[in-house]
């Protein structure tokens, strides 16, 4: 397991290292880590007594962000750290007390959360024990109370399950939930894994779509509608692949998911990397290593390697208001991943982790599996 090492919050200079700047790799230079922040200036002008790490042959990436997970305990955060994932967006969880206990543990992966999602009574998601009755919204009249309860609990955004098998919110209820979210200054995130669910969520004006259709690929019109509205997409290709392999439901086809990402990307929709890592559903997805797989699947769906890296760094930081991370520059959180090789040549290089810093705390890498 990864271990927080002694002196984890000291001063460190990573020398001779190429830095991914969102487009390409800068020529080899030095990056300073001072406490929990990225420091100012070259090594010679930096703090004396810094630990020096020779980054020759390596690349420094901003700490990776997984934009769709479900985290239950600190061991999961520790594991995420060991794979270079330093921030996660939790997309449905249990009690507010549990979420609060995971939110900002010093030196461990930081977490934002939707808390309890809005689910239709009688739907598949209503049977998930971790969500329970707290998430049930049966009609438009219950939308405002649901959203104000989440806002009071500290939910960072509002998650709405659209198109769950068994039963589904009608259009008016989704509209009311999105309207209430916006009234409370929260982004509305829709779970939508069929074309009909995507259409319903778009009609309601959601800000974020997560998952992608497995029944058929999004067409150009749907992708153009997303782009025009400034909507963002967290496709969770890892989960879509897992669902097809594990459940084999008739009509489900991974190529529909992959081609949906291609259509959205070509239309200019911002794509964020998310895995749906979870330990509770019939389709479990592992924590941390899965994000590296997601990057590979995004490249397989047509993203350039640079855009796949941005999907896990500056784009989620920008779209979820995390102004203190996502890029490597002085003053930002010292969330960093030192890897071997060139991920712009081969995205699989992100798996070759030498060292991770999470809020300045050093972590040894975990091996795959
Ligand atoms: Zn999920």
């Amino acid at each position: 397991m990864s271990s927080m090492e002694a002196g984890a919050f000291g001063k460190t200079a990573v020398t001779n290292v190429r830095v991914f700047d969102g487009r390409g790799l800068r020529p080899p230079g030095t990056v300073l880590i001072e406490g929990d922040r990225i420091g100012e200036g070259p090594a010679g002008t930096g703090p004396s007594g810094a630990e020096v790490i020779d980054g020759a042959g390596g690349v420094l990436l901003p700490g990776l962000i997984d934009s769709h997970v479900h985290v239950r305990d600190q061991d999961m955060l520790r594991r995420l750290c060991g794979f270079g994932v330093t921030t996660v967006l939790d997309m449905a969880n249990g009690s507010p007390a549990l979420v609060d206990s995971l939110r900002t543990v010093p030196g461990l992966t930081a977490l934002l959360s939707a808390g309890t999602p809005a689910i239709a009574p009688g739907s598949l998601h209503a049977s998930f024990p971790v969500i329970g009755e707290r998430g049930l919204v049966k009609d438009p009249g219950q939308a405002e109370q649901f959203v104000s309860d989440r806002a009071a609990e500290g939910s960072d955004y509002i998650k709405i399950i659209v198109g769950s098998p068994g039963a589904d919110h009608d259009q008016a209820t989704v509209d009311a939930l999105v309207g209430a979210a916006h009234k409370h200054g929260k982004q509305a995130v829709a779970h939508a894994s069929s074309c009909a669910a995507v259409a319903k969520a778009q009609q309601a004006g959601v800000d974020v779509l997560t998952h992608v259709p497995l029944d058929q690929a999004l067409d150009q019109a749907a992708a153009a509608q997303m782009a025009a509205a400034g909507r963002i997409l967290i496709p969770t290709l890892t989960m879509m692949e897992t669902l097809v392999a594990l459940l084999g439901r008739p009509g489900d086809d991974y190529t529909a998911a992959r081609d949906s990402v291609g259509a959205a990307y070509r239309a200019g929709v911002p794509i964020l990397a998310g895995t749906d890592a979870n330990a509770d559903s019939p389709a479990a997805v592992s924590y941390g290593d899965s994000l590296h797989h997601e990057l590979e699947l995004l490249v397989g769906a047509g993203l350039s390697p640079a855009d796949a890296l941005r999907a896990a760094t500056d784009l989620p930081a920008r779209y979820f208001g995390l102004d203190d991370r996502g890029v490597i520059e002085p003053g930002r959180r010292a969330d960093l991943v030192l890897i071997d090789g060139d991920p712009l040549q081969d995205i699989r290089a992100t798996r070759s982790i030498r060292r991770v810093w999470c809020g300045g705390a050093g972590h040894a890498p975990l091996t795959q599996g």
Side-chain angles (χ1 to χ4, degrees):
M1 291 302 294
S2 96
S3 60
M4 267 227 301
E5 290 151 28
F9 289 88
K11 299 164 184 172
T12 303
V14 185
T15 58
N16 304 313
V17 74
R18 291 170 296 166
V19 168
F20 175 66
D21 67 4
R23 291 187 308 280
L25 301 181
R26 293 206 291 260
T30 296
V31 172
L32 290 174
I33 300 165
E34 298 179 276
D36 66 349
R37 298 283 138 178
I38 296 168
E40 194 82 51
T45 63
S48 59
E51 178 196 6
V52 175
I53 292 180
D54 185 359
V59 168
L60 209 48
L61 302 175
L64 301 173
I65 300 172
D66 187 333
S67 292
H68 190 141
V69 301
H70 304 276
V71 175
R72 298 284 173 259
D73 59 43
Q74 291 194 11
D75 283 344
M76 291 169 175
L77 297 178
R78 220 161 271 124
R79 181 180 158 90
L80 284 157
C81 258
F83 285 101
V85 180
T86 55
T87 298
V88 290
L89 305 181
D90 188 284
M91 285 298 170
N93 213 318
S95 74
L98 173 64
V99 172
D100 285 344
S101 74
L102 299 171
R103 223 171 242 292
T104 40
V105 185
L108 285 187
T109 299
L111 174 135
L112 269 58
S113 182
T116 301
I119 49 182
S123 66
L124 171 69
H125 286 76
S127 69
F128 291 180
V130 73
I131 298 171
E133 303 234 315
R134 295 165 49 77
L136 297 181
V137 177
K138 72 173 166 52
D139 58 38
Q142 295 187 334
E144 166 58 28
Q145 187 65 52
F146 172 84
V147 171
S148 62
D149 287 350
R150 299 294 83 72
E153 289 168 359
S155 291
D156 295 288
Y157 33 80
I158 301 301
K159 174 86 178 292
I160 307 163
I161 307 293
V162 181
S164 183
D168 192 16
H169 300 297
D170 61 15
Q171 184 71 54
T173 302
V174 183
D175 292 353
L177 284 162
V178 174
H182 290 165
K183 193 186 124 204
H184 285 268
K186 305 286 184 192
Q187 289 162 296
V189 181
H191 161 116
S193 57
S194 66
C195 285
V198 169
K200 190 182 278 187
Q202 293 220 81
Q203 167 77 28
V206 301
D207 306 284
V208 182
L209 290 154
T210 186
H211 308 305
V212 269
L214 280 174
D215 52 348
Q216 64 182 75
L218 289 172
D219 60 20
Q220 267 186 15
Q225 187 185 356
M226 275 184 207
R231 216 153 271 146
I232 66 176
L233 178 63
I234 309 171
T236 70
L237 287 174
T238 300
M239 173 53 88
M240 307 331 282
E241 182 188 60
T242 301
L243 284 173
V244 170
L246 217 60
L247 305 183
R249 292 181 300 211
D252 282 359
D253 182 358
Y254 177 74
T255 58
R258 186 197 62 198
D259 293 347
S260 293
V261 172
Y265 180 60
R266 286 191 300 275
V269 175
I271 312 276
L272 309 190
T275 61
D276 210 358
N278 77 92
D280 303 302
S281 83
V285 168
S286 66
Y287 294 81
D289 51 333
S290 57
L291 186 63
H292 301 274
H293 184 58
E294 184 72 19
L295 297 180
E296 292 157 15
L297 293 179
L298 289 174
V299 170
L303 271 69
S304 69
D307 282 340
L309 292 174
R310 295 188 65 206
T313 55
D314 67 309
L315 292 186
R318 182 192 306 171
Y319 289 110
F320 283 90
L322 297 163
D323 302 333
D324 63 345
R325 65 198 82 181
V327 300
I328 299 175
E329 63 182 26
R332 302 253 187 170
R333 253 172 74 100
D335 290 345
L336 299 160
V337 190
L338 178 60
I339 62 169
D340 284 317
D342 181 348
L344 301 181
Q345 297 299 316
D346 183 348
I347 194 66
R348 291 173 297 182
T350 64
R351 293 180 181 273
S352 302
I353 299 176
R354 271 196 234 168
R355 195 171 170 88
V356 178
W357 290 268
C358 186
H363 290 262
L366 283 174
T367 48
Q368 308 297 320

